[in-house]
Amino acid sequence: GPMAGSLPPGHPAVPGGAPMAGGPPMMGGGPMMGGQGDADPRYSISGTIAVSQALAAGVAPSDRIVILMFDPEQARPVSFKILPQAQLPQNFTISLPPDARATAKKAYNLRILTDKDNNPFGAAPGEVIGRSAEPVPLGTTSLKFVMDQPYTR
């Protein structure tokens, strides 16, 4: 193809293969992934998402999982991430975007919900949500997050 020969000799032609990209190799892409590709563990929260037994029946594999990270002092999310399929329990990482790191707080509130109708901010029957009981410190790596409430608006 037209790209042949454009890489310097010995350069591995691997997308996201840069050693500084961080995060699991499955993420692909480097810093151009909307700020998620260059996940810096110091500015990230990661762990597992599960759903409470009472609500598990409402979650379908076709549901998307929407992860929102809120500044505790503001009502708007500073970062969000969408996982295309609900395969609970499942691992997640959400990172502060690079432009928010200079003013990073020590901890953030998390809200994680399922989305059945491609409308993360509107509730549909069977959608579930969880909210962190208290702000989660940046750098947390083994958070166990449970979605335990029906999502209604």
Side-chain angles (χ1 to χ4, degrees):
M3 298 300 293
S6 63
L7 289 170
H11 188 288
V14 183
M20 297 302 298
M26 294 177 39
M27 303 255 313
M32 300 305 295
M33 293 271 299
Q36 296 287 2
D38 58 344
D40 182 326
R42 294 170 302 169
Y43 295 103
S44 302
I45 295 169
S46 59
T48 56
I49 305 166
V51 63
S52 66
Q53 200 124 27
L55 298 173
V59 179
S62 57
D63 293 0
R64 301 190 307 168
I65 304 267
V66 182
I67 306 167
L68 300 160
M69 184 193 242
F70 284 85
D71 183 323
E73 291 158 33
Q74 297 177 330
R76 58 191 180 80
V78 291
S79 184
F80 76 94
K81 186 171 192 178
I82 295 176
L83 307 179
Q85 288 182 301
Q87 295 167 320
L88 302 170
Q90 71 198 87
N91 297 327
F92 79 96
T93 298
I94 186 163
S95 305
L96 208 54
D99 60 4
R101 291 176 186 174
T103 56
K105 302 283 174 28
K106 287 190 166 56
Y108 287 83
N109 289 318
L110 288 187
R111 222 173 268 182
I112 303 180
L113 55 127
T114 59
D115 175 33
K116 293 181 179 293
D117 55 0
N118 288 340
N119 177 9
F121 300 104
E127 291 181 349
V128 296
I129 188 169
R131 298 175 177 88
S132 54
E134 59 217 21
V136 181
L138 285 179
T140 296
T141 55
S142 54
L143 183 69
K144 299 229 179 314
F145 194 100
V146 178
M147 297 181 290
D148 57 359
Q149 297 157 20
Y151 182 41
T152 53
R153 283 192 77 93

